[in-house]
Every structure is written in C-alpha cells, then in structure tokens.
Amino acid sequence: MSNLVKIENGIAAVAADDWTLVQLPATQVEERKQAGKVVLFKLTGESTVTEEQIADTVIPATGKIIVPLSVFVERNNELASRIAQGEVGVWLATHELLEYLIQQQADLNVLPIIAVFVERFADGRIFSLGTLLRTRYGYKNELRAFGDVLRDQLFFLKRSGYTSFMIRKDRSATDAIASLNDFSKPYQGAVDEPKPVFRRYNRGA
Amino acid sequence: MYKYDEIDQQIVDERVAQYRDQVRRYLAGELSEDEFRPLRLQNGLYIQRHAPMLRIAVPYGMLSSKQLRKLGDIAKKYDRGYGHFSTRQNLQLNWPKLESTPDILAELATVEMHAIQTSGNCIRNITTDQFVGIAPDEVIDPRAIAEIMRQWSTFHPEFALLPRKFKIAVSGTQQDRAIVQAHDIGLEFYRDANNKVAIKVWVGGGLGRTPILGSVIREHLDWQHALTYCEAIIRVYNLHGRRDNMYKARIKILSKAIGINEFRNQVEAEWTHLKDGANTITEEELARVSKHFEAMPYENLPDQDAGFDAALANNPAFAAWAKRSIHPHKQPGYRAVTLSLKPHGSAPGDITSEQMWAVADLADEYSFGELRSSHEQNLILADVKLSDLFAVWEKAKAQGLATPNIGLLTDIICCPGGDFCSLANAKSIPIAKAIQMQFDDLDYLHDIGDIELNISGCMNACGHHHVGHIGILGVDKDGSEWYQVTIGGKQGNDASIGTVIGPSFSAEEMPGVIQKLIEVYIKERTPEERFIDTVRRLGAVPFKKHVYAKDEVSA
Ligand code: HEM
Ligand code: SF4
C-alpha cells in the first residue's frame, strides 16, 4: 500500500503514487566541503554529485519519472520530448540551489511535479525551498516532500507549499493526516495562507 | 500587558493537545528518542542530569500576578516547590516528570502561558529590558512590536527547524539593557530625523563557544517592516547556515564566514521580494496591540514623599536597600523596585512557591498586578508609589527578597551548571555561593559599587560570562573542575568581550581570586570610577600581576 499523503482540492488522503523516482547511483568518495568557500551551499558541508553519477544514472525508458536535479540539467536533451509530454518531474536535495534549476528551466510549470528530498527531518531548509518555489518562482503543480518525512513536520510542510508527502515507510500515512490540522488559525502569513492573522480576522480595536 | 483573545487561546490549547499526543506516542514507543527530542525541545523540555527540565516562556519578561501565582502552584504540585528564573527572562522547573508535562502545559494555558519555542532550533522567546515602558531613558516602548513578533514567530512554518537556536532582543532605550549586540538579531528602536519610529538592526551576535558581538546590518528600518526584514535575514540563514557542525551553526558563524557586507547584500536581495508583502505590520494591528501596553492609571503625584524621605534618613537598612533596589521612573512619584533573587548563599535566580505567591500579592497591592523578570535573574515591580516603598521593603524582607545587593558583586548571574546541567564542565552555583559568603559584608559591597559577575558552567555561556565585568567559566581538565577568569567584559551600548587573565583556578581558590581582583580595583580606582572603567583604563595586566603574584597556579 502507498505511503503517500496527497492534498487535492483541500482534502488530504492517502493516494496511489504514479511516479517512479530515479535515484543517483552511489559514489565511492563523499566530498566534505569547508566553510568560507565561494559557493555558499558548500558552507553546509554536503556532498556534491559527480559527473560519473550523472552519466551512470539509469533512466527508465517509459513512464512518469522524477529525475535528480543534476540529471535533469546535464541530460536535458535526452529528456526533452518526455518533458514536453509532461512525463518528467525533478527532485532535489535540501542543499541544492534552486537557481540551478531555474537556469535550466525558467518556466517551472512545465514540470508536473517537483520533489524535495530531506535526509534528516530536522533539516528545515525544506521549508524555505517550498516557500521559494511557490512565492518566488510561481510554481503551481504538485510539490512533494520525501525522505525522512514524519507527521510532526507535516503542518509546517503544508504551510510551506507542499501538497504531497511521502511518509517514511515505517510510519502510518493514515495517522499522519491528522497532523495537517494541528492548528486551525496560524498567526503568520505563509504559502498556504498568505495573510497573517491580523489581516484575516477583525481582532477588535 | 497583552491579554489573549480567542485566537491566541486556541493556539495554546491546540498546542497542549498536539504535545500531549506527542508524549503519548513517545511513551508508546511510536516516536524514537531522536524523533521526540526536537519536539520536546520546541516545548522547552530538556532531559537533564536528574530529571527533565521544563522552561516556561515569559514573553519579554512580562508577568501578571495571576500568572506568577499559577507558576507557584505548578512548582508546588509538579516540582519541588521552587523554580528558577533564567538569564533569558524565562522560568525553569528542574524536577518535573515527563509524564506530567502535558498537564503542566494545560495548567499554563489557563493563565495564557506556554512553553512554546523556549528551546530547540527555532526562534526563541523575545527578550527586552526589564524597565520597558517605564524607564526615563526610553525613547520607544518596543513591547507591542515584541508581541507582534512573538505571534509571528510562533510556529513559523518556514523557520521551524533552523540550523541552530535563534534569539531576538528588542530595546528602545538610550542605554541598552537588553544586550541587543549579543543576539542573533537585535532590534534597537529609535526616532529618526522625521520623528518616526525606526529600527537599527543588529545581526550575528551571540556568546557560546565563539563569542561575537553583532554587526549593524541596517541603520534604518521602518517599524512596519520588522517582520519581513527578519524573514529575509532568517531565510538566508536557514538556507546557508551550516548544519554539519552544531558548534558552527549559529548565524554569527555564517555572517563572519561570508562577511557582514556579503551577508547584507544577500539579505537585502531577499528582502526586495518580501518587502511590503502581507506580513508587513499594519497601523491598525500596531494600535490594537499597543492598547495592551498603555501606561498604568497613575495618580498625579509630586516626585517627593515626606514619609519616604524620613524612612531613608532614619533607617539605614532601608536606605541601603533603596540605594540599590529602587530605579527611576517616567512617572513622577513612582519608582521601579527590584526584588533580589540573590540572597547570599543560595542559587541565583531561584524562587520558592511561597515567594512567588508573596510577590504576586505585592504586585496586586502595590504595582497594578504586574511584574517583570530580568535577564539578571531578579523580579521587578515596575510601578510602585514612593509612599509605598517602605511597606514593600518590609514585606519583601520578610520573604527574603530584599537583599540590598542589586548591581553589586553578589548579584551574580549564574547558570545551573554541574548541579543540574548535563553539558556542564564544572559546577557554577557553589562558586556563586562561595563568593557571596566571602563578600557578605554589605558596607564593603556598597563600597565596591556597581559590578557584574557572571558564571557559566561551560562554553555554552548560559551565564553570559563573556560580558561580565568579571566572568567565570567552568573548564574541564583531565576530568576535574577548573575555572577560567575573564575581566573587562561588558553589556550595553559599548559592549565588549572579556579578556582571559591567565591559567585557571580550582573551586577553592575562586573567592580569593575575586578578592584580589577587587583589591587592585580599590587601590587603583579614581573617585567615581566603576570596576569596569578601571579595567578599561589600566588593562588586564595589573590585575593579572596581583592575582598570580604569590601562589602560582599550574596550568
Ligand atoms: C540546564 C539546562 C541547560 C542546557 C542543557 C543549556 C544548554 C545551552 C546550550 C547548548 C547553549 C549554547 C548554544 C549555542 O551557543 O549554540 C546555551 C546557551 C544559552 N543558555 Fe543555556 N542551557 C541550560 C540552561 C540555561 C539556563 C538556566 C539559562 C539561564 C539562566 C540559560 C541561558 C542561556 C543563554 C542566555 C544562552 C545564550 C548564550 C548565547 O548568547 O549564545 N541556559 N544553553
Ligand atoms: S553554560 Fe553550560 S553548564 Fe551552564 S547551563 Fe549552559 S550548558 Fe549548562
């Protein structure tokens, strides 16, 4: 059974997943970057994707696929016709830069799905990425969180613009749905409700 | 002070329900230790040496008598009958049971209180000056904006899991008392050339293992943009702050690594997208919240009272207390009073349930039912009539809350240290007690005058030792407890970080070391010169010389 929770027309439910996630092959060496380098995300010490990994990534010949950002950019020609048919989505890790995606694909709404991979649930970059995709880059289609996705982050993910959530395999997706409604009148404006509480309600003079 | 409406109440009620379910799932094994940790931390619950520690939020240090009474009740019912005021104006319970924390939160919610975001990697309780709203040198009362920011930062979805904790301080006075330069963001309110309320924004300050004073990221920000500008800063930090090493994860490390100019450029670029957006504060909202912080219904009084003057003249003990514990007030005929939580020989900041109830009564009788906590870990009655000061003193004295040591050497700022905290390198409370006993002579204390002594049990600097005129830091050497001493640290507009005087000392040596530092000061000071000024004038060398003169201590 699927562990995907999807919000459609404002209603959250466990849904079937019709996308195939394309993974990068594992690398031998993991690069650790130090602070103070020119490129900012290196400050955070994440590994980067190698040319070999991109070249060695196995892309299924047919069907709807979500490909890694680096593969989407570097092997875009190969994917062009499938992109045009709406069969290709993109996933990125929380340390990857949205600018990299935008340079390749200015109109993000060509993509039916963008997914963000969160390795550890405590990594809150996923919230800023969702917010930027929705508010800065005008992305309107399915935005999915996957990886270490647990129910106690769902409310924040929803507010940051995510509309589907691949709950970690060992947890119940059905139980998780309840957490989407932890708070009924959040204070601040965010993606799902841009107005802060003081613009939504008359709180008296 | 701010009173909840149904919306505020609903949020804390829903929080109780959410947290209760998280505890249930944890106890049922549905949440692992690692998964539960950030959840409980965002609710102020640490697992400590002896028991969990629960930190209760006191937004910008404001409390009503009803709230304090409730805190007294909670400490009695769920803890050992006392609580601890922290250097961030919050109240900590040292011995609650994990299983009862949901019930404690439910009780707190009945008096418009909570423990939301008092810990964890999120935006923490916003702090300010304990004399906010009444200080004669105040230009702007920042409490309304602080409350608007409290609401905005509560469960902010984008900033729920930052690289590290995030602390904001606000201040609207000429003399900074909120240490805005030692916070991740410091908002300094002032009136600009057009007499409009503006904000000078500081960023990247913080103590801990890499003490750094903040830099000005923006000289002038219109108050309407307080939220969106903070969003721009925190977004840049959230995306680019380090997450691989928790000791290098604060915003100060990022802004130092890329430089304040580059950091500013990134923030300003981000802000062009957020500026004037929906989170811009409206005039109406500011007016609505400001209503809660209007001046008290003061009587029209002369700024003199014959009874008070007579008591000062006739009662030396009262006069000694008055000199240290009474503070100027905007309103003629009124004063603010600091109740000392630093009696000699007990843990700084500790207060029993009985004392909490008594202070609540004092607030009701003499200070419009409100009080404040200070980052120096004392309590303040902000609006006391001159003619009531003597009665307040007598009642406070009966409760052990009138030690006349405010601002003096024994008004020590001290973290829980090795007695309670599992991160400690050394105990800190016994050092504070020993120093208080060494300097138990009040005349001597008054002669030494204004001085700040801060103690932290480890590098995390919960006791702000870097900005103490004298700072004491617990260090671990081959498994035993040692203390490193700094002098010349200071909070305020001309803040500075203290200099280490040399090799560290054992616990037994500490009172003597402090004694020697004071001796140099007494010998070298010019009339009217405070300890910190003497240190700044002479530098650390004469102090070092005297301290290490006879008994050299091995490193
Ligand atoms: C007993 C449990 C406590 C634990 C485990 C604890 C832990 C920590 C840690 C790890 C830090 C450093 C964070 C960093 O620099 O990134 C810190 C900082 C701090 N803590 Fe605590 N703390 C405790 C109690 C307290 C208490 C009781 C107070 C107030 C008296 C306090 C006030 C502070 C302050 C003001 C800082 C900030 C230093 C700065 O500006 O960087 N803490 N704490
Ligand atoms: S300074 Fe260190 S010992 Fe003291 S409370 Fe903070 S973490 Fe614990």
Side-chain angles (χ1 to χ4, degrees):
Chain A
M1 165 137 171
S2 159
N3 231 23
L4 180 71
V5 172
K6 226 167 149 174
I7 305 177
E8 271 172 324
N9 304 318
I11 295 164
V14 176
D17 182 15
D18 44 6
W19 289 93
T20 302
L21 191 76
V22 178
Q23 298 282 10
L24 290 159
T27 36
Q28 302 305 319
V29 276
E30 193 182 293
E31 284 180 57
R32 306 299 290 189
K33 302 292 177 185
Q34 289 302 311
K37 292 279 169 63
V38 189
V39 181
L40 261 179
F41 69 81
K42 291 185 179 168
L43 277 176
T44 56
E46 247 82 24
S47 59
T48 46
V49 180
T50 64
E51 292 301 323
E52 279 131 326
Q53 279 179 295
I54 295 169
D56 294 348
T57 298
V58 182
I59 302 175
T62 56
K64 295 162 77 175
I65 50 173
I66 310 178
V67 299
L69 174 56
S70 50
V71 171
F72 180 79
V73 173
E74 302 294 332
R75 295 169 63 180
N76 198 267
N77 288 341
E78 237 176 280
L79 294 164
S81 67
R82 295 175 71 183
I83 294 172
Q85 285 162 39
E87 284 185 0
V88 179
V90 170
W91 71 262
L92 59 143
T94 50
H95 64 275
E96 292 186 286
L97 299 180
L98 292 176
E99 287 77 2
Y100 186 42
L101 171 61
I102 303 303
Q103 273 165 20
Q104 177 64 46
Q105 184 67 56
D107 177 9
L108 291 184
N109 288 314
V110 165
L111 303 168
I113 182 167
I114 297 178
V116 181
F117 171 66
V118 61
E119 193 179 328
R120 289 172 303 121
F121 67 90
D123 181 353
R125 285 176 292 195
I126 191 170
F127 306 127
S128 285
L129 291 175
T131 304
L132 285 170
L133 282 167
R134 295 298 192 198
T135 60
R136 183 80 35 89
Y137 300 113
Y139 181 62
K140 297 197 173 62
N141 302 325
E142 180 172 348
L143 182 57
R144 177 179 297 185
F146 73 108
D148 199 16
V149 176
L150 302 172
R151 65 177 279 183
D152 294 290
Q153 283 76 50
L154 285 202
F155 183 76
F156 297 132
L157 286 168
K158 175 184 86 167
R159 294 222 66 207
S160 302
Y162 290 83
T163 48
S164 70
F165 317 89
M166 186 61 83
I167 305 296
R168 208 175 69 192
K169 274 203 236 37
D170 59 335
R171 294 298 151 85
S172 153
T174 315
D175 286 355
I177 291 174
S179 291
L180 285 166
N181 300 313
D182 275 348
F183 298 96
S184 24
K185 290 177 186 153
Y187 280 126
Q188 60 296 100
V191 176
D192 63 338
E193 171 50 83
K195 288 187 187 163
V197 69
F198 57 83
R199 290 181 195 264
R200 279 180 280 141
Y201 301 95
N202 178 358
R203 301 186 75 182
Chain B
M1 60 188 275
Y2 187 75
K3 299 258 178 336
Y4 282 10
D5 66 4
E6 315 86 77
I7 293 175
D8 302 298
Q9 190 64 49
Q10 186 171 5
I11 284 179
V12 293
D13 291 344
E14 287 172 339
R15 170 52 150 199
V16 175
Q18 181 197 38
Y19 177 77
R20 196 182 284 285
D21 189 57
Q22 290 168 346
V23 172
R24 178 194 64 74
R25 283 185 275 136
Y26 169 67
L27 294 173
E30 292 171 34
L31 277 174
S32 71
E33 199 68 63
D34 278 352
E35 290 158 9
F36 184 54
R37 185 181 309 115
L39 303 178
R40 64 172 163 74
L41 283 180
Q42 303 236 337
N43 225 338
L45 190 71
Y46 285 82
I47 303 295
Q48 278 312 304
R49 211 147 256 196
H50 309 288
M53 182 271 277
L54 180 67
R55 188 180 290 154
I56 297 164
V58 181
Y60 36 91
M62 296 288 299
L63 278 169
S64 69
S65 54
K66 186 174 166 192
Q67 291 174 328
L68 187 62
R69 216 166 262 127
K70 183 57 131 188
L71 292 173
D73 296 346
I74 289 173
K76 198 51 123 190
K77 183 162 163 195
Y78 299 97
D79 205 299
R80 298 195 180 168
Y82 74 96
H84 174 84
F85 277 100
S86 83
T87 50
R88 302 204 71 257
Q89 301 183 304
N90 292 323
L91 183 87
Q92 298 186 167
L93 297 176
N94 286 321
W95 315 92
K97 286 203 185 60
L98 169 67
E99 293 75 6
S100 45
T101 51
D103 293 335
I104 296 178
L105 293 188
E107 293 219 25
L108 288 172
T110 65
V111 292
E112 308 180 359
M113 292 190 87
H114 58 75
I116 297 166
Q117 291 169 211
T118 51
S119 184
N121 296 336
C122 49
I123 304 175
R124 303 284 191 88
N125 186 32
I126 294 168
T127 53
T128 191
D129 166 20
Q130 68 266 36
F131 302 117
V132 66
I134 59 134
D137 75 334
E138 186 173 88
V139 187
I140 310 285
D141 179 346
R143 283 176 298 177
I145 301 272
E147 171 59 28
I148 291 169
M149 295 191 81
R150 178 192 76 82
Q151 299 190 13
W152 157 83
S153 62
T154 299
F155 307 129
H156 196 300
E158 190 180 340
F159 308 134
L161 291 164
L162 296 170
R164 203 66 185 81
K165 61 180 174 178
F166 204 89
K167 299 174 179 178
I168 303 178
V170 299
S171 160
T173 54
Q174 281 159 7
Q175 288 305 316
D176 168 56
R177 284 179 292 267
I179 351 183
V180 290
Q181 294 180 43
H183 285 77
D184 297 286
I185 293 180
L187 301 177
E188 189 181 332
F189 287 74
Y190 66 98
R191 279 195 187 279
D192 66 11
N194 302 319
N195 206 29
K196 291 237 167 62
V197 176
I199 308 170
K200 181 169 173 175
V201 184
W202 297 80
V203 74
L207 302 174
R209 58 186 69 204
T210 319
I212 296 179
L213 295 175
S215 308
V216 176
I217 186 166
R218 200 169 224 282
E219 288 286 348
H220 184 282
L221 180 74
D222 292 321
W223 61 266
Q224 289 88 342
H225 303 305
L227 305 183
T228 55
Y229 199 76
C230 286
E231 282 179 340
I233 294 174
I234 305 174
R235 179 175 292 165
V236 170
Y237 167 59
N238 189 38
L239 285 168
H240 302 305
R242 285 183 66 164
R243 289 173 182 269
D244 59 326
N245 179 340
M246 86 171 230
Y247 299 117
K248 296 200 184 327
R250 296 282 293 270
I251 194 172
K252 62 191 175 188
I253 304 289
L254 176 65
S255 64
K256 273 278 180 276
I258 64 175
I260 183 68
N261 291 328
E262 170 61 18
F263 188 70
R264 178 183 300 118
N265 292 343
Q266 295 191 15
V267 168
E268 292 283 331
E270 197 59 50
W271 191 47
T272 55
H273 300 282
L274 294 164
K275 186 171 187 260
D276 299 319
N279 283 334
T280 306
I281 305 170
T282 58
E283 297 272 358
E284 298 73 47
E285 175 66 356
L286 182 65
R288 177 186 81 85
V289 178
S290 296
K291 282 235 166 68
H292 295 273
F293 300 102
E294 275 172 2
M296 293 296 178
Y298 297 119
E299 292 169 40
N300 264 323
L301 295 171
D303 204 38
Q304 220 201 346
D305 181 82
F308 173 65
D309 292 343
L312 279 185
N314 302 331
N315 190 327
F318 175 63
W321 176 80
K323 188 167 160 208
R324 300 310 316 185
S325 315
I326 294 180
H327 315 277
H329 200 292
K330 271 180 186 168
Q331 179 73 22
Y334 285 83
R335 296 292 183 270
V337 167
T338 300
L339 301 171
S340 173
L341 302 185
K342 317 281 181 74
H344 294 176
S346 74
D350 273 7
I351 181 167
T352 64
S353 292
E354 287 73 15
Q355 287 175 319
M356 290 191 235
W357 297 326
V359 174
D361 290 345
L362 282 176
D364 278 339
E365 199 171 345
Y366 300 109
S367 198
F368 302 101
E370 288 187 7
L371 55 138
R372 293 108 184 271
S373 55
S374 70
H375 77 82
E376 288 94 353
Q377 309 177 277
N378 292 311
L379 286 177
I380 283 89
L381 298 172
D383 303 286
V384 182
K385 281 193 266 187
L386 274 176
S387 55
D388 289 336
L389 286 168
F390 190 78
V392 168
W393 172 64
E394 285 193 307
K395 291 184 185 173
K397 197 155 69 88
Q399 294 294 333
L401 295 165
T403 313
N405 61 348
I406 302 306
L408 298 180
L409 185 60
T410 57
D411 185 7
I412 296 170
I413 296 179
C414 178
C415 82
D419 294 301
F420 297 101
C421 175
S422 48
L423 304 179
N425 287 329
K427 295 195 185 66
S428 51
I429 292 171
I431 301 296
K433 289 184 184 172
I435 294 169
Q436 287 172 336
M437 297 323 288
Q438 169 95 4
F439 291 89
D440 201 27
D441 177 347
L442 278 172
D443 292 336
Y444 188 43
L445 276 180
H446 281 257
D447 179 45
I448 298 167
D450 286 318
I451 185 165
E452 291 173 17
L453 182 97
N454 299 50
I455 310 177
S456 306
C458 77
M459 300 292 264
N460 290 316
C462 302
H464 290 163
H465 63 277
H466 306 288
V467 292
H469 302 172
I470 299 176
I472 300 176
L473 166 66
V475 289
D476 172 273
K477 275 198 228 161
D478 308 323
S480 61
E481 303 188 357
W482 292 82
Y483 298 88
Q484 188 185 71
V485 175
T486 49
I487 58 173
K490 190 173 181 307
Q491 45 177 316
N493 304 49
D494 55 345
S496 56
I497 304 256
T499 323
V500 178
I501 63 166
S504 47
F505 306 96
S506 67
E508 301 73 53
E509 290 172 297
M510 282 313 297
V513 169
I514 305 303
Q515 181 72 50
K516 286 194 173 148
L517 291 173
I518 298 298
E519 282 163 12
V520 177
Y521 161 65
I522 302 270
K523 181 156 161 275
E524 300 290 343
R525 69 179 166 186
T526 61
E528 304 297 309
E529 198 176 47
R530 295 169 306 169
F531 177 83
I532 179 69
D533 302 321
T534 310
V535 175
R536 283 185 168 184
R537 182 168 55 81
L538 296 178
V541 176
F543 292 90
K544 281 185 197 173
K545 273 201 182 133
H546 188 54
V547 170
Y548 293 101
K550 279 174 260 146
D551 35 304
E552 282 288 332
V553 184
S554 64

